[in-house]
Amino acid sequence: MKTKFYRLSILFTIFFTVLVSCNKEDVAPVEPTPLPEPEKVSPDYSANLYLRKEYMDQYYYWADDVKGANAKLDLKKYDIYDAFDAMLYKDDRWSWMESGESFRATKSGEISETWGVSWAQREDYVEAGDYSVYVCFILPESPLAKKGVTRGAKLTGIKGLKIPEDGFHTQEQIDYLNEHLYDSPQTFEFKLPNGEKISFEATLPKSVSTNFILSEQVFDGGDFLGLDGAVGYFNLYQFESAFKKDIDAAFSRFKEAGVKKMIVDLRYNSGGSADVCQRMISYLAPAGLNGKPYVTRTHNNLLSSLNETQYIGEEKSSSYRDMSIGLDEIYFIMDHGSASSSEVLYNGLRPYMKGKIHMVGRQTYGKPNGMYVLIYPGDNESYEKYNSGDYSLAKWVFYPICFFNKNSEGESIPYGPSAPSGFRPDNERPDDILHDFGVEEDRIKACLTHIVSGSYPEVPVTKRTKAQGNGLRILSLEPEWKTNPNYGSYIVR
């Protein structure tokens, strides 16, 4: 025991001597360990969690494919838009979301900060050197429409810029147009389709209202030589539930006029509500098809109990009322922007109108699936208000793909990895933006010619050019189907 104590005493003495013999200058100062910064948490964190758990893990068509990866996402780091994008399946080019404010504006039919005009340059079959800007379509309540501007009008100048007759020659001209087109007040100069030149000053309105019916007409032999009966023309911009009464009124007039052949123009129609699609097909389907299926919706495995079939005719207490106006032939005018609900309508009629349904224009977008409207907050009160038409509580509105559509013969809308991949027309023709909607517009004229003669007229001969115009096209005027990867909707409330 003494030996052990002796050795310990020596060790302690050496250790103490070393400590007291060190200079203060030789000892490095000890820096205090910084406290960790508090973790930054996205203000949308609660919404992100709700979106993943209540919607994407349950309703999303590809829920099984993404559930594992989505569970690993650190949702504290994302705002709601990035979180939504991060949760999507790799091949999903359709799902999207918007703010409640944007959703309410759409539901009201009010479009803010716009002239109420769709501008375009000629995309195909362009005449060499023509890179002018034309009015593609114009809403009736537009301040420009009230000054006499129509589809086909060429923009020849705004305040501070004169546009040459053959369009843009410099990038500076394009930059000026992009920067100043929405100045208010603005001075406009146009050359109308009839050659008349007009100029005026207009003030940008806070909003422009529309019912999405761009044109409704009835043609007869007095309008187009050879017609032996009334032909209806109906141009619908979007399938929006708020305007079903306007659709009802239009088809009531078609029926009263004795229309048996119809031209349905959906060239700019990106889709919309499933209930409007059902209303439309119930009017357009031939008589005697009341209660026949036109679309079947298939969900993910978790929600297979929601798989359902929709039928021609307006559903009332488990029965269907006959709404057909008695058509015997339909011509659809479609384009790359015709998507989703537009394609569901066309696909649903195909099995019942073989040989009596035609398509003129260009290949459609190709969107075979649809969405439910899912809102946040998603509590009972929010949904009760939503279902009663009060959208005030919705902060975010989600449209994830929830089901795939097939018609009564099990045929889906053709689709591929990129747009356009939809239906191909019987008669391919470019969009004639030089004429207003009427008998002189090339696609409408083609339909009427086929009704009279059984054949389509030749496509107008124009010069194609790929070399000219590079850099002179206005990218901000590119159609939405080209610029929006989530374009098109077939929405079930």
Side-chain angles (χ1 to χ4, degrees):
M1 295 294 294
K2 290 182 179 180
T3 305
K4 291 181 181 179
F5 178 80
Y6 175 76
R7 289 174 180 170
L8 289 173
S9 298
I10 293 175
L11 289 173
F12 178 80
T13 303
I14 295 172
F15 181 69
F16 180 80
T17 303
V18 171
L19 285 177
V20 298
S21 65
C22 292
N23 286 325
K24 291 181 180 179
E25 290 79 4
D26 296 333
V27 179
V30 178
E31 295 291 337
T33 303
L35 295 174
E37 292 186 8
E39 185 179 10
K40 294 181 180 179
V41 178
S42 166
D44 299 332
Y45 180 49
S46 295
N48 294 345
L49 290 175
Y50 193 93
L51 169 64
R52 178 171 64 187
K53 180 181 178 182
E54 301 296 335
Y55 292 155
M56 302 303 286
D57 285 356
Q58 297 187 50
Y59 287 93
Y60 192 42
Y61 187 79
W62 294 282
D64 290 343
D65 299 279
V66 301
K67 192 170 184 177
N70 287 351
K72 298 176 183 178
L73 294 174
D74 186 355
L75 297 180
K76 298 186 184 73
K77 299 179 180 179
Y78 292 88
D79 71 15
I80 189 66
Y81 289 97
D82 289 340
F84 183 81
D85 288 343
M87 294 183 203
L88 298 181
Y89 181 59
K90 60 182 178 64
D91 292 333
D92 181 2
R93 60 181 174 90
W94 302 286
S95 296
W96 59 290
M97 63 164 290
E98 64 180 331
S99 68
E101 181 181 12
S102 171
F103 176 77
R104 286 185 284 275
T106 301
K107 285 294 182 183
S108 70
E110 297 287 328
I111 305 175
S112 61
E113 298 182 354
T114 177
W115 294 113
V117 170
S118 174
W119 310 93
Q121 290 178 285
R122 301 175 69 183
E123 290 187 348
D124 287 334
Y125 305 90
V126 295
E127 295 175 0
D130 182 8
Y131 302 100
S132 304
V133 172
Y134 294 87
V135 173
C136 190
F137 64 82
I138 185 166
L139 303 178
E141 294 301 314
S142 163
L144 277 59
K146 296 175 181 178
K147 297 289 186 178
V149 177
T150 66
R151 168 182 162 90
K154 179 193 287 190
L155 182 66
T156 57
I158 62 172
K159 183 166 52 183
L161 175 67
K162 292 282 188 180
I163 303 172
E165 182 68 21
D166 57 352
F168 294 92
H169 287 227
T170 67
Q171 185 62 44
E172 288 73 21
Q173 293 172 333
I174 291 176
D175 293 342
Y176 186 92
L177 180 71
N178 284 329
E179 183 178 354
H180 296 286
L181 180 60
Y182 289 92
D183 288 353
S184 183
Q186 179 62 274
T187 300
F188 287 99
E189 297 178 21
F190 285 97
K191 182 178 180 180
L192 301 182
N194 62 6
E196 179 185 356
K197 295 181 179 181
I198 61 173
S199 62
F200 55 87
E201 185 176 271
T203 301
L204 189 69
K206 290 183 178 180
S207 64
V208 174
S209 61
T210 176
N211 66 2
F212 295 125
I213 298 176
L214 297 182
S215 182
E216 171 203 333
Q217 302 178 59
V218 176
F219 307 126
D220 58 24
D223 303 301
F224 193 85
L225 187 63
L227 289 180
D228 59 2
V231 176
Y233 173 76
F234 191 66
N235 188 324
L236 186 63
Y237 176 54
Q238 192 170 338
F239 288 54
E240 178 50 58
S241 299
F243 306 112
K244 285 192 288 189
K245 289 183 179 179
D246 299 284
I247 295 173
D248 293 341
F251 276 89
S252 177
R253 289 188 286 268
F254 289 137
K255 186 173 184 178
E256 186 178 349
V259 167
K260 294 299 179 184
K261 300 183 189 299
M262 175 74 73
I263 301 171
V264 181
D265 196 336
L266 304 176
R267 72 182 81 188
Y268 306 129
N269 193 307
S270 62
S273 298
D275 57 341
V276 179
C277 183
Q278 179 164 0
R279 183 70 59 94
M280 287 285 292
I281 201 168
S282 298
Y283 282 126
L284 295 172
L289 294 180
N290 194 44
K292 297 289 186 181
Y294 75 92
V295 65
T296 295
R297 305 184 188 115
T298 305
H299 300 72
N300 64 31
N301 292 330
L302 183 65
L303 297 182
S304 59
S305 61
L306 295 183
N307 293 349
E308 63 175 341
T309 298
Q310 291 293 113
Y311 302 90
I312 296 170
E314 191 72 1
E315 187 172 4
K316 298 291 181 183
S317 302
S318 300
S319 63
Y320 293 84
R321 59 189 178 100
D322 192 355
M323 300 170 62
S324 171
I325 64 171
L327 298 177
D328 55 33
E329 196 162 18
I330 302 178
Y331 290 77
F332 279 87
I333 295 178
M334 309 278 259
D335 210 308
H336 298 324
S338 306
S340 207
S341 290
S342 299
E343 295 171 300
V344 170
L345 176 62
Y346 176 74
N347 196 37
L349 285 169
R350 286 171 60 232
Y352 301 113
M353 301 193 71
K354 294 177 180 178
K356 295 295 183 179
I357 186 170
H358 315 278
M359 180 177 156
V360 172
R362 289 185 292 194
Q363 189 172 357
T364 64
Y365 184 76
K367 184 173 180 296
N369 41 42
M371 308 96 154
Y372 290 126
V373 181
L374 304 174
I375 64 176
Y376 179 83
D379 55 275
N380 288 341
E381 181 185 3
S382 297
Y383 272 106
E384 285 172 3
K385 283 184 173 291
Y386 172 86
N387 289 327
S388 67
D390 179 352
Y391 314 117
S392 60
L393 296 184
K395 183 177 181 181
W396 309 110
V397 182
F398 308 103
Y399 308 95
I401 294 301
C402 296
F403 51 84
F404 262 64
N405 303 302
K406 292 184 178 181
N407 67 14
S408 61
E409 294 186 348
E411 300 167 316
S412 68
I413 296 162
Y415 68 100
S418 62
S421 56
F423 294 108
R424 294 181 179 274
D426 305 308
N427 182 244
E428 184 172 356
R429 320 181 70 82
D431 190 9
D432 176 15
I433 63 172
L434 302 186
H435 293 93
D436 199 0
F437 301 120
V439 296
E440 293 302 320
E441 195 276 332
D442 181 67
R443 289 176 172 175
I444 299 174
K445 183 189 294 184
C447 295
L448 295 172
T449 301
H450 193 272
I451 291 172
V452 170
S453 67
S455 61
Y456 294 103
E458 293 289 329
V459 174
V461 178
T462 54
K463 299 176 183 177
R464 277 180 178 265
T465 173
K466 292 184 178 179
Q468 292 182 332
N470 292 335
L472 298 181
R473 298 196 65 80
I474 303 177
L475 295 181
S476 63
L477 299 187
E478 292 290 337
E480 189 183 0
W481 68 266
K482 278 189 174 182
T483 58
N484 182 356
N486 304 318
Y487 180 81
S489 59
Y490 179 70
I491 296 171
V492 177
R493 288 176 56 138

